[in-house]
Amino acid sequence: MPTENLSDPYAWLERSLRTLHQAHWYRDVKTITGRTGSVVTVEGQDLINFASNDYLGLAGDKRLIQAARDATQTYGTGSTGSRLLTGHRPIHQQLEQAIAALKQTEAALVFSSGYLANIGTIAALVGKRDLVVGDQYNHSSLKKGAILSGATVRDYRHVDLDDLAQQLQTQRAHYRRCLITTDTVFSMDGDLCPLPGLLALAEQYEAMVLVDEAHATGVLGDRGAGVVEHYGCTGQSLIQMGTLSKALGSLGGYVAGSAPLIDFLRNRAPSWIYTTGLTPADTAAAIAAIEIVNQEPERRSRLWDNTAKLKALLSAHFQVLPSDSPILCIQLHSPQDALQLAQRFQNQGIFAPAIRPPTVPTSRLRFSVMAIHTPEQLNQFESLLALL
Ligand SMILES: Cc1ncc(COP(=O)(O)O)c(C=O)c1O
């Protein structure tokens, strides 16, 4: 077989990487050593941590660590199979009951990640004859989930209810089912979805609603149940998903809603049925985290106090994107500007990542506040701002 004239089918990879470098879109990992907290050691340098989603500071909490150790002792490291075969333990059910109680829903289902929760739920709910309409800034897992489902997918302009109404009015009648999807806290902006108006439109056009509470759970609402609680929409007919990996300091995702919904997902969500159950350690850590969310509302108060302080500091020096959450973003002109500012902050002992296209349409520096940032750390940040 002649080989000399065959081109390398993988050569495009290096060409694509060169293009990413030229556009300043290239990404690489940074190694963090030691336990996570409000200070982290990044490649040997101690930095005040404004880069994690660990809003309540639970990922390094000794109670979660102990719960994970105990569960590993009891059940072993892996759950050894899918939940429907050998992967179901009493602690999975305990966690699902705790999530349903927090969200005040009839039931909940735990997935092995939030990404898998969105992909599997959307695939179970809609197909070729259906329509998904989502906010243009939705998380990748909602967007990819919609595409993978085979439904017709349309975006509406960010938090724009008029545009959503217009799309529902012109499109809804052509499809069997309709699903509206939205982040409740937008992960790379920090603003909130207009939930009450969105639910009203869903009712008018007979659409299901899937809200992604990944950055809201444990953070918003009087009891930390999320944006649904924050807007007084608890108990309304909608599907709530979220993750155990942010304010809850563990790993895994969940869907909370009516008993028939959860029963249906157990039977039809491929990313729940055909994957290994959440590890005992992650499951037990998440149970411990929800107990803390229930019992220590003062953590949320500290988080919001710290958020107000950091917002005021950043706003005095930079253009900060509108935010109603502990996610605060400085708007910048180019990916290069974002990378340079992130480096200048890092040189001064601050860890805040540059977020660039294609993750977001415009480049920015993203700060996420933690309940465990100390007044001293915030004062130190204030002094450093003057040096930039
Ligand atoms: C809004 C949103 N949804 C879903 C996810 C996915 O969650 P997980 O990290 O548990 O896969 C994330 C996390 O990156 C997120 O920010």
Side-chain angles (χ1 to χ4, degrees), residues 15-198:
R15 284 197 302 276
S16 293
L17 281 169
R18 272 197 298 280
T19 309
L20 288 176
H21 275 293
Q22 278 158 7
H24 300 282
W25 283 20
Y26 182 77
R27 292 128 194 270
D28 202 358
V29 294
K30 285 187 194 300
T31 306
I32 295 182
T33 46
R35 189 176 294 178
T36 188
S38 60
V39 173
V40 279
T41 310
V42 185
E43 283 154 6
Q45 190 189 1
D46 282 354
L47 301 173
I48 302 178
N49 183 10
F50 291 106
S52 90
N53 297 313
D54 184 18
Y55 300 109
L56 298 176
L58 295 181
D61 189 285
K62 57 182 186 315
R63 292 165 289 182
L64 272 71
I65 294 170
Q66 190 59 47
R69 289 172 73 130
D70 292 347
T72 305
Q73 283 292 348
T74 306
Y75 298 107
T77 49
S79 56
T80 77
S82 80
R83 291 277 298 281
L84 291 173
L85 295 175
T86 57
H88 182 67
R89 306 283 175 277
I91 49 175
H92 289 119
Q93 191 178 3
Q94 205 184 323
L95 175 57
E96 286 166 348
Q97 284 168 348
I99 293 168
L102 177 65
K103 298 282 173 177
Q104 299 196 357
T105 58
E106 286 175 354
L109 187 65
V110 169
F111 289 69
S112 298
S113 79
Y115 210 106
L116 290 173
N118 268 337
I119 288 185
T121 301
I122 298 172
L125 295 174
V126 290
K128 278 198 203 114
R129 294 159 62 197
D130 305 319
L131 173 68
V132 179
V133 196
D135 189 289
Q136 70 177 130
Y137 288 177
N138 273 350
H139 187 259
S140 160
S141 52
L142 285 174
K143 285 179 176 268
K144 293 287 184 224
I147 293 167
L148 290 172
S149 75
T152 300
V153 181
R154 295 180 73 99
D155 281 354
Y156 60 91
R157 281 194 299 272
H158 181 51
V159 301
D160 185 339
L161 288 176
D162 291 336
D163 190 32
L164 173 60
Q166 165 77 16
Q167 302 220 23
L168 290 169
Q169 194 188 0
T170 57
Q171 300 299 315
R172 173 67 185 96
H174 305 309
Y175 298 91
R176 179 184 59 167
R177 296 180 199 138
C178 176
L179 176 68
I180 301 171
T181 62
T182 183
D183 287 16
T184 57
V185 173
F186 286 88
S187 55
M188 295 298 147
D189 297 77
D191 56 345
L192 308 187
C193 74
L195 187 62
L198 196 145

